[in-house]
């Protein structure tokens, strides 16, 4: 979701609370409560009066309401998870470039990589004037840990800033990071074959790729390769209830749907191919994701338990070299013995 839309919703729609008192700007330990999100690998201490409105949903680790003087416009403190860039300076450069775009909301007043208590972090400060008599500040701190990008953001008005900023600094300083629960296990150290723990399927990932925490709860497995700047090639597996899958008519339907949903995309291929002893519909599409030209290789096929979609999204300039490896990964997909949730993906057992 567009972060600006999130902020607009948080800042202008939530019911608020009275501004709490903080003694001389310091944050006492008894004024916080422990927060633990084991799926995301994050522990922290959050101010007691910052009520958590969203917890461990999609990419959001938490979204908390920050009380302010105006009860109709509370501030927000957010922690979310994303894929790590090649380094924080690559992300800093991207933010600087975005700030120069015409129509970009807010004014970027600070954007630099600094030494934090446990390593480097990227600190970005923007100022907003949603109306002539209102001044808001948005401080974003980005930290790389365990191949993931953890982003902490504070968005409050000018009157709240002097008390909220020390509390936010203490929150970030208290954060502890552990590898997130990707739901997948490596079968052995000799290969890069991974098994999805709950739904019991396995596949070989390209060399250097590893599972990461999925940005969307729909994905049963999500993995990415080594980052290039701010982008990392990625793979995802989703599943649907098993039902008849007529691949030839699906090829015609999918080609029309792709061109309807994304008219600028280029459908390079959409045909039935062999996958082991079975058949699959293989689609190759070239499109754009922001400034990047992307090529997507996808296969849809039927398993013994579910219908699967396995999709690889890579920068177009690397696709031709990676294509044989990606097809090997697709051919390696198997269901493994074991019990799976009876309700199927996304449904209660």
């Amino acid at each position: 979701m567009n972060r600006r839309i999130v902020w607009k919703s948080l800042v202008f729609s939530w019911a608020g609370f009275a501004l709490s008192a903080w003694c001389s700007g310091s944050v006492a330990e008894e004024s916080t409560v422990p927060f633990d999100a084991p799926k995301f690998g994050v522990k922290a201490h959050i101010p007691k009066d910052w009520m958590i409105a969203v917890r461990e949903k999609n990419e959001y680790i938490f979204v908390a309401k920050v009380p302010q003087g105006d009860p109709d416009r509370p501030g927000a403190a957010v922690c979310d998870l994303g894929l790590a860039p090649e380094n924080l300076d690559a992300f800093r450069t991207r933010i600087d470039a975005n700030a120069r775009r015409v129509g970009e909301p807010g004014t970027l007043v600070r954007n630099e990589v600094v030494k934090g208590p446990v390593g480097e972090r990227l600190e970005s400060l923007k100022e907003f004037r949603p109306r002539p008599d209102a001044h808001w500040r948005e401080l974003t701190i980005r930290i790389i840990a365990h191949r993931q990008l953890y982003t902490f953001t504070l968005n409050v008005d000018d009157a709240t800033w002097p008390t909220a900023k020390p509390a936010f600094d203490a929150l970030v300083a208290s954060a502890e990071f552990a590898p997130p629960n990707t739901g997948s296990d490596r079968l052995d150290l000799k290969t890069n074959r991974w098994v999805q723990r709950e739904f019991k399927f396995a596949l070989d990932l390209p060399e250097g790729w590893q599972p990461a925490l999925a940005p969307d709860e729909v994905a049963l497995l999500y993995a990415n390769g080594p980052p290039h700047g701010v982008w990392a090639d990625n793979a995802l597996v989703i599943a649907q209830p098993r039902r008849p899958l007529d691949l030839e008519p699906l090829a015609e339907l999918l080609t029309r749907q792709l061109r309807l949903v994304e008219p600028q995309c280029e459908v390079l291929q959409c045909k039935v191919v062999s996958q082991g002893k079975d058949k699959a519909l293989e689609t190759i599409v070239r499109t754009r994701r922001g400034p990047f030209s992307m090529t997507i290789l996808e296969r849809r096929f039927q398993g013994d338990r579910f219908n699967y979609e396995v999709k690889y999204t890579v920068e177009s300039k690397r696709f031709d070299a990676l294509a044989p490896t990606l097809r090997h990964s697709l051919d390696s997909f198997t269901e493994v013995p074991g019990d799976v949730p009876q309700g199927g993906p996304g449904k209660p057992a």
Side-chain angles (χ1 to χ4, degrees):
M1 181 183 293
N2 187 300
R3 186 182 299 275
R4 295 192 295 270
I5 296 176
V6 173
W7 288 132
K8 185 175 181 181
S9 175
L10 293 173
V11 172
F12 296 107
S13 299
W14 280 344
F17 300 86
L19 182 63
S20 61
W22 298 82
C23 297
S24 64
S26 65
V27 182
E29 189 170 317
E30 59 271 16
S31 67
T32 65
V33 293
F35 175 87
D36 188 6
K39 175 183 175 182
F40 290 85
V42 176
K43 292 182 179 180
H45 289 271
I46 299 177
K48 286 181 178 179
D49 62 346
W50 291 14
M51 191 186 86
I52 295 176
V54 177
R55 181 188 183 111
E56 297 181 86
K57 183 173 178 61
N58 292 330
E59 73 270 31
Y60 294 102
I61 301 171
F62 68 78
V63 178
K65 302 177 182 181
V66 179
Q68 298 193 135
D70 186 341
D72 293 326
R73 293 183 173 86
V78 178
C79 179
D80 62 62
L81 186 74
L83 296 178
E86 188 173 0
N87 52 59
L88 288 173
D89 196 61
F91 218 104
R92 179 197 61 78
T93 303
R94 179 78 179 277
I95 293 170
D96 280 342
N98 287 342
R100 292 191 293 269
R101 294 189 310 181
V102 176
E104 181 73 11
T107 301
L108 183 66
V109 297
R110 181 169 174 256
N111 185 40
E112 59 181 324
V113 177
V114 300
K115 292 290 185 181
V118 291
E120 288 188 337
R121 63 192 203 179
L122 173 59
E123 297 185 358
S124 307
L125 178 63
K126 296 186 77 172
E127 295 184 351
F128 299 85
R129 289 196 176 275
R131 59 181 193 273
D133 61 338
H135 181 204
W136 288 70
R137 301 186 194 187
E138 179 181 287
L139 173 63
T140 304
I141 296 177
R142 296 176 173 89
I143 299 170
I144 294 176
H146 306 291
R147 299 177 64 250
Q148 306 272 178
L149 179 68
Y150 293 88
T151 302
F152 296 84
T153 307
L154 175 69
N155 187 284
V156 294
D157 64 23
D158 197 48
T160 308
W161 177 261
T163 51
K165 171 65 162 52
F168 179 72
D169 288 340
L171 188 162
V172 176
S174 74
E176 300 176 21
F177 306 104
N181 180 7
T182 66
S184 303
D185 300 305
R186 191 170 183 173
L187 288 181
D188 60 69
L189 297 178
K190 296 179 181 179
T191 66
N192 200 26
R193 187 166 182 80
W194 295 79
V195 60
Q196 210 278 355
R197 197 178 305 133
E198 185 178 14
F199 288 92
K200 303 294 189 300
F201 60 79
L203 79 165
D204 299 336
L205 290 174
E207 184 178 354
W209 291 43
Q210 292 183 37
L213 194 62
D216 192 309
E217 294 173 350
V218 172
L220 302 184
L221 183 145
Y222 186 82
N224 69 321
H228 300 268
V230 298
W231 171 263
D233 300 332
N234 59 79
L236 64 86
V237 180
I238 62 177
Q240 297 175 345
R242 193 177 189 275
R243 59 180 180 270
L245 198 61
D246 197 342
L247 298 178
E248 293 286 358
L250 180 60
E252 297 181 11
L253 176 63
L254 185 58
T255 299
R256 292 198 304 269
Q257 289 177 336
L258 286 168
R259 288 170 176 157
L260 181 65
V261 173
E262 197 166 349
Q264 302 305 315
C265 78
E266 184 180 0
V267 181
L268 303 178
Q269 174 183 299
C270 190
K271 68 178 184 179
V272 178
V273 299
S274 296
Q275 182 166 296
K277 63 181 184 352
D278 299 314
K279 298 292 184 180
L281 176 61
E282 181 176 288
T283 306
I284 303 175
V285 177
R286 185 178 296 136
T287 186
R288 297 199 68 84
R289 295 290 183 266
F292 302 102
S293 173
M294 296 285 120
T295 299
I296 301 165
L297 171 63
E298 174 192 279
R299 280 191 191 169
R300 301 188 183 200
F301 53 92
Q302 187 176 72
D304 292 333
R305 299 185 183 119
F306 306 107
N307 288 356
Y308 296 95
E309 295 178 30
V310 185
K311 181 182 300 185
Y312 301 82
T313 303
V314 304
E315 278 193 277
S316 296
K317 62 186 178 183
R318 285 190 295 277
F319 178 76
D320 288 343
L322 278 172
T325 301
L326 301 182
R327 287 194 170 99
H328 167 79
S329 179
L330 287 162
D331 291 338
S332 75
F333 185 99
T334 59
E335 292 173 323
V336 298
D339 295 329
V340 301
Q342 293 301 307
K347 298 180 180 179

